[in-house]
Amino acid sequence: MNNLIDKMERKIGRYAIVNLTKYIIGLYIVGYILQFAPVSANITRFLSLDPYLVLKGQIWRLVTWVLIPPRSFDLLIIITLLFYYFVGTTMERTLGSFRYNLFIFTGMLLMVVASFATLLVYSKVFRLNSEQLAAIMNLYSPAFSTYYIQMMVFLSFAICYPDMQVLFMLFIPLKVKWLGIFYGLVLAYNSFMAVKGSNYFLFFAILSQAINLLLFYLSLGKLNHMRPKEVKRRTEFKRNTQMRPKGITRHKCAVCGRTEEDDPNLEFRFCSKCNGNYEYCQDHLFTHEHVK
C-alpha cells in the first residue's frame, strides 16, 4: 500500500492542501453561522447528506454536508475546535500534507458511500416505498457527518502518539492511548447497539470510518511482519545475526537507538525524505522529524 501511496504522491502530491485542518475548521464556523442566521430557517436540513434527495437531483448535498459541524454549539466548542486543530496539524506534520489529505478525503468519500449503502438496505432489504424512504432519510441523514471523520483523526493520532499526555476534561492528565481505547470501545458499543436497533444510518457511518482507520493503520506497515516474505526475511536475518560477533548490529533507529538485538521483530527502514542515510524503526518511520 505504501508503494501505491508513494506513486500517487509523486504524481499529484503538489495538489495537496497545506494546513487542511484550518480550512475544515473554517467550514465548521460557516456552518455555525448558518445555523444561527435569522433567515436560515434551519438551512442545515438542505445541506445534509441525504442520498435519496441526491438521486432526485440535489447533488450539492454530496459536498455541502461537510459544512455541518460535528457537534452542536456550546461554551466548550472553542476549546474543542482548538483541540481539533492541534490534532489535525500534528497528524499533517507526521504524515505529510498529501497523506493527511488522502486520509481526510478518503473518509469523506467513504461516508458518501455509507449513505448510499444505507439507502440500498432500506429500499431493498426493508422494501420501503418512496414516501417512507424520503421520510426516514430526511430524519436520520444527519448521522452522515464529519463527527466520525474527526473521531478517526483522533484515533490515528492515538496510534502515532500513544504516550503523549493531554488534559482530559481540561484538568485530568491522561495518556492519549487510554483516550483512544475508551473512544474505540464507545464506537464499538454504538455500532453494536445500532445493529441491534436496526439503526443502519449510524452503523454504516461508523463502519465507513473504521475502514478508513484500518487503511491508515495498514499504510503504517504495522502488519508487515505477518506477511510470509517478512517472516522468511526475519528468519534468515536471525540466523545471520547469530553468526555475527556480539556487539555489532546491522540496524539502529536514529531516534530511539534501538537495534535488532533489542527486539528481533522490529522492522527498520531508511527515510527517503531525510538528507543522508538515516534509518528508523517501525515506530518512528512516520513520526520523526525529517533531517534537511
Side-chain angles (χ1 to χ4, degrees):
M1 180 177 292
N2 270 319
N3 291 335
L4 175 61
I5 295 177
D6 288 340
K7 289 180 181 179
M8 293 174 60
E9 185 172 7
R10 286 194 293 268
K11 291 182 178 180
I12 60 175
R14 61 183 180 275
Y15 300 113
I17 302 174
V18 180
N19 206 358
L20 177 61
T21 306
K22 177 178 67 175
Y23 298 105
I24 293 175
I25 293 177
L27 292 176
Y28 292 161
I29 294 174
V30 172
Y32 284 123
I33 294 174
L34 291 176
Q35 287 181 354
F36 291 99
V39 295
S40 67
N42 195 20
I43 195 173
T44 54
R45 66 190 179 93
F46 296 104
L47 306 177
S48 63
L49 180 55
D50 187 331
Y52 180 82
L53 294 178
V54 169
L55 294 178
K56 294 296 182 180
Q58 298 184 16
I59 59 175
W60 65 81
R61 293 177 180 270
L62 293 173
V63 178
T64 56
W65 63 277
V66 300
L67 285 170
I68 302 176
R71 55 175 294 178
S72 59
F73 187 86
D74 54 36
L75 295 178
L76 294 178
I77 194 61
I78 296 178
I79 297 176
T80 302
L81 293 179
L82 288 174
F83 184 69
Y84 282 163
Y85 182 77
F86 165 72
V87 171
T89 53
T90 301
M91 289 307 301
E92 182 170 349
R93 288 196 299 268
T94 299
L95 302 175
S97 294
F98 176 78
R99 285 177 178 260
Y100 181 66
N101 276 233
L102 184 63
F103 181 55
I104 294 296
F105 289 120
T106 299
M108 292 179 178
L109 177 61
L110 288 173
M111 188 63 77
V112 173
V113 172
S115 70
F116 282 95
T118 306
L119 177 65
L120 183 65
V121 167
Y122 279 99
S123 61
K124 300 300 182 181
V125 178
F126 293 97
R127 298 185 179 280
L128 301 183
N129 58 38
S130 298
E131 292 183 359
Q132 292 172 324
L133 277 176
I136 196 171
M137 287 293 163
N138 181 64
L139 183 61
Y140 293 108
S141 61
F144 305 118
S145 70
T146 57
Y147 174 78
Y148 294 109
I149 295 177
Q150 290 296 344
M151 184 67 74
M152 296 307 154
V153 173
F154 173 75
L155 292 181
S156 67
F157 176 77
I159 291 174
C160 293
Y161 299 98
D163 296 321
M164 180 176 288
Q165 197 171 76
V166 295
L167 293 178
F168 181 64
M169 301 297 292
L170 301 181
F171 62 90
I172 303 176
L174 197 63
K175 287 187 176 181
V176 171
K177 63 181 178 182
W178 300 119
L179 282 176
I181 292 173
F182 171 75
Y183 285 124
L185 292 175
V186 170
L187 290 175
Y189 175 77
N190 289 342
S191 298
F192 172 77
M193 295 304 295
V195 173
K196 185 177 179 180
S198 298
N199 184 357
Y200 293 101
F201 293 87
L202 183 60
F203 173 73
F204 280 111
I206 296 176
L207 177 63
S208 67
Q209 300 314 302
I211 292 174
N212 192 31
L213 184 66
L214 176 62
L215 294 175
F216 165 78
Y217 187 81
L218 292 175
S219 71
L220 296 180
K222 297 287 187 178
L223 301 181
N224 282 345
H225 66 282
M226 299 176 64
R227 296 189 304 175
K229 289 184 178 179
E230 288 298 321
V231 174
K232 180 181 178 182
R233 182 192 65 79
R234 287 200 309 273
T235 302
E236 293 178 350
F237 179 77
K238 185 176 181 180
R239 184 173 59 251
N240 294 334
T241 54
Q242 289 175 348
M243 301 173 59
R244 192 182 303 129
K246 293 184 179 181
I248 300 178
T249 60
R250 178 175 296 180
H251 302 286
K252 184 177 181 180
C253 179
V255 175
C256 64
R258 288 186 297 177
T259 69
E260 68 273 12
E261 290 187 353
D262 296 311
D263 185 352
N265 293 321
L266 276 178
E267 296 181 14
F268 296 85
R269 296 287 187 274
F270 286 96
C271 179
S272 60
K273 296 183 179 180
C274 290
N275 291 333
N277 295 323
Y278 291 92
E279 191 175 22
Y280 302 93
C281 68
Q282 61 198 36
D283 295 330
H284 296 107
L285 179 59
F286 294 100
T287 60
H288 68 274
E289 292 187 4
H290 298 299
V291 178
K292 301 298 183 179

